[in-house]
Amino acid sequence: MTQQCKDLTLVVLDKLNERSLKVDDGEYFHRVSAVSRCVRDAVMHALEVPWTNPPQPQWGQQITFDQGHDAEDRVIDYITKAGIEVACSQMRVEATTPMGMKMAGHMDGIMIVPDDMPMGGKWYLFDVKSTSVYGYNQTYGDDKAKPNHIKQLSIYKHAAVADDNYPEVNGIKVKDLEFNGVKYGGMIVCYFPKERPTKGYGDKKTELPKLHFITFDTDETENDVFLDFFDAIEDYKNRGVLPPIPDASDEMVWGGYNKKEGSYKARRCDPRWCARYDACRENN
């Protein structure tokens, strides 16, 4: 019965995985949320290079994706129940790169903080990110948002509203929106760990808050640097060539320093995380 039970589990996981295998990752188009994607993988996608290392059923990638959406809905509910108004949920915006290319994205929303609360009297562009305890501890300890999250929110901030559900503000940059006189105050990433967040081990283990908000801001010059990423992809695609494999220290390939080996390791450069890993190596 034990093996049969495992087989039954795989039936469910196989069904979940079918959608990914049928559509691959679809037709390429620039997406704001992909601003920290591996540039080489993005160009291969744009050049219609198929997956060589598709996701395996046991990885449950669709489950992880669904968990992220569930987390977003729950955290927004928690924010509103705390007396903070949430506006413009999933509002469509359109960004323009330095080379004039347009791309769309949908932001999680805007929280309008009342005057009598910390950071009150301002509104904040926010995004909810579900994360592992390991990733949560990194952001909690440093009190800094992850670079990819900073880039994504920054592009939303400097983009223009392009949503038929909000005709009265279409064309206005997100950062210039006002809500009954309340003006922009910054950006917030809401980190939500999937498991119980703790720090330390044994008797020294301490509990961490189940939610952690981090605020920051960017200017237009910084934002243009982030948008250059998409212009570079378009340039490589038009020329029909691949960019080099990113350096192992680059955040786009999840570069991390290995103290034991005394070198950086690109954790994303692995068949587990890169669906074009073999194609990438073959074309190196």
Side-chain angles (χ1 to χ4, degrees), residues 65-188:
F65 182 79
D66 291 340
Q67 285 177 323
H69 276 281
D70 292 344
E72 177 188 327
D73 292 340
R74 288 184 180 276
V75 172
I76 290 175
D77 183 55
Y78 302 152
I79 291 170
T80 57
K81 285 179 177 176
I84 301 171
E85 181 183 352
V86 172
C88 304
S89 292
Q90 291 303 311
M91 186 168 72
R92 184 182 183 275
V93 298
E94 191 173 76
T96 305
T97 70
M99 298 298 291
M101 190 166 54
K102 305 286 187 181
M103 77 188 67
H106 292 82
M107 58 193 219
D108 280 2
I110 285 170
M111 63 171 79
I112 306 169
V113 182
D115 291 337
D116 60 350
M117 291 187 180
M119 298 171 59
K122 299 284 186 180
W123 67 259
Y124 300 86
L125 177 63
F126 76 91
D127 202 77
V128 177
K129 297 297 183 186
S130 60
T131 180
S132 66
V133 170
Y134 173 76
Y136 182 82
N137 283 346
Q138 284 183 312
T139 59
Y140 189 84
D142 295 340
D143 203 31
K144 293 181 180 178
K146 292 185 176 182
N148 52 324
H149 302 156
I150 292 173
K151 293 176 183 179
Q152 182 181 351
L153 269 174
S154 176
I155 294 175
Y156 292 152
K157 169 194 170 180
H158 295 280
V161 178
D163 193 321
D164 291 340
N165 293 316
Y166 300 90
E168 68 280 4
V169 293
N170 262 343
I172 298 176
K173 286 193 172 184
V174 171
K175 67 183 181 68
D176 295 326
L177 294 176
E178 291 189 29
F179 299 87
N180 296 320
V182 178
K183 296 184 178 181
Y184 171 80
M187 294 174 273
I188 294 176

